[in-house]
Amino acid sequence: MVLALADGSQLRLGFIGAGMMAGAMIRGLVSSNTCLATNLIASDAYKPCLDSLQSELGIRTTQSNSDVAAHADVIVLAVKPAQVREVCEDLHKANARALVVSIAAGVPIKRMAGWLPANARIVRVMPNTPCLVGELAAAYAPNEHCSPADTALVGSMLGALGTAFKVKEGDLDAVTGLSGSGPAYVFQFIEALSDGGVRAGLPRAVATNLAAKTVRGAATMVLETGKHPGELKDQVTSPGGTTIAGVHALESGGMRAAVMNAVLAATERSRELGND
């Protein structure tokens, strides 16, 4: 269903930045009929990104951020953290009154508010790369100037791309450490599973496919059964069997602590970036 504003008009959505993540979001919003391609506009300094989206989807493109500000009810900042200030100042010069949604990691709302027009409505989002395949796991935090309708609108946009949770801004660093950085941890685990299969004699292609589908299947079981992961683990660990032998090896290698420490390290780094 096409999203609409409180006055009933169709959502006009703008993206500043049209790279990999923005492109995935735009494609997902159009394919889910959440936003019409004719109501989308994107800007980027790298024209080939814009040309690709325009030819594939028929959205409007520009290399002017002020054009986006003039034609959008919601503006998504999909640029690198170091570029956020410049983009916000462009919006300030244009006196933009759109709802601003930032997916730039480590840039706090308070800092963006100082660069945008007074009383700007800002929602900070931490997405992740599975958005590229329609499996977004994200969290978002609105500032005090956002209305309930603004917050609900962003939740619906993100929900069309996967799963999104409203959290306090202070929790976004932990979200960054878990789901924002988490795909990299899972890729490493899949690679390690595949390496183990190869070491045990399987061809690489077979090992990688089995590893990836095992991870996908296990994740689906957690989500669909609602059971605790530990309970599901116990269901496949027979006394004295092969699985408990493997689990014991993982525990001996400190896998659980290593994963927890990875989340904490990424969380702390996100906090550091926010303080730079």
Side-chain angles (χ1 to χ4, degrees), residues 224-276:
E224 293 192 357
T225 67
K227 293 181 178 180
H228 190 281
E231 181 182 353
L232 293 170
K233 178 205 69 179
D234 287 347
Q235 290 176 0
V236 293
T237 50
S238 303
T242 59
T243 303
I244 194 62
V247 169
H248 179 246
L250 289 174
E251 293 289 359
S252 298
M255 187 196 79
R256 189 185 301 265
V259 173
M260 292 172 68
N261 287 337
V263 174
L264 293 175
T267 299
E268 184 56 34
R269 181 56 183 149
S270 178
R271 291 193 180 114
E272 290 172 358
L273 290 171
N275 292 327
D276 285 349

Side-chain angles (χ1 to χ4, degrees), residues 9-271:
S9 61
Q10 292 179 345
L11 172 67
R12 299 179 305 157
L13 183 59
F15 279 77
I16 296 180
M20 183 176 67
M21 184 64 72
M25 293 179 71
I26 290 169
R27 289 180 179 91
L29 292 168
V30 171
S31 65
S32 64
N33 204 36
T34 302
C35 185
L36 298 180
T38 50
N39 291 336
L40 269 159
I41 183 171
S43 67
D44 198 289
Y46 186 60
K47 197 167 182 296
C49 284
L50 299 176
D51 292 342
S52 175
L53 289 169
Q54 187 176 48
S55 62
E56 178 186 343
L57 302 173
I59 71 168
R60 180 177 176 184
T61 62
T62 177
Q63 291 190 286
S64 167
N65 295 339
S66 60
D67 282 350
V68 176
H71 293 92
D73 305 303
V74 176
I75 299 172
V76 179
L77 305 187
V79 296
K80 293 179 180 178
Q83 298 173 304
V84 171
R85 178 171 185 168
E86 179 184 351
V87 169
C88 286
E89 289 176 346
D90 284 346
L91 296 179
H92 196 163
K93 291 174 185 174
N95 197 31
R97 294 299 171 185
L99 172 63
V100 175
V101 177
S102 172
I103 65 171
V107 184
I109 288 175
K110 183 177 181 181
R111 193 173 298 171
M112 288 186 280
W115 301 326
L116 289 164
N119 302 320
R121 296 169 295 144
I122 306 168
V123 180
R124 185 178 161 197
V125 177
M126 185 63 232
N128 66 2
T129 54
C131 176
L132 295 167
V133 292
E135 292 290 348
L136 175 73
Y140 60 100
N143 73 348
E144 70 275 15
H145 299 300
C146 290
S147 68
D150 293 330
T151 304
L153 181 64
V154 174
S156 295
M157 282 173 48
L158 297 173
L161 304 171
T163 301
F165 298 93
K166 179 186 173 185
V167 300
K168 297 178 294 184
E169 187 185 12
D171 288 337
L172 285 177
D173 293 315
V175 172
T176 301
L178 176 58
S179 58
S181 302
Y185 316 151
V186 177
F187 295 145
Q188 278 193 296
F189 180 64
I190 291 171
E191 183 183 32
L193 276 180
S194 177
D195 285 346
V198 172
R199 178 65 180 84
L202 292 174
R204 172 63 73 183
V206 172
T208 299
N209 204 292
L210 286 173
K213 290 195 173 181
T214 296
V215 169
R216 182 173 69 179
T220 301
M221 288 181 69
V222 171
L223 294 171
E224 293 192 357
T225 67
K227 293 181 178 180
H228 190 281
E231 181 182 353
L232 293 170
K233 178 205 69 179
D234 287 347
Q235 290 176 0
V236 293
T237 50
S238 303
T242 59
T243 303
I244 194 62
V247 169
H248 179 246
L250 289 174
E251 293 289 359
S252 298
M255 187 196 79
R256 189 185 301 265
V259 173
M260 292 172 68
N261 287 337
V263 174
L264 293 175
T267 299
E268 184 56 34
R269 181 56 183 149
S270 178
R271 291 193 180 114

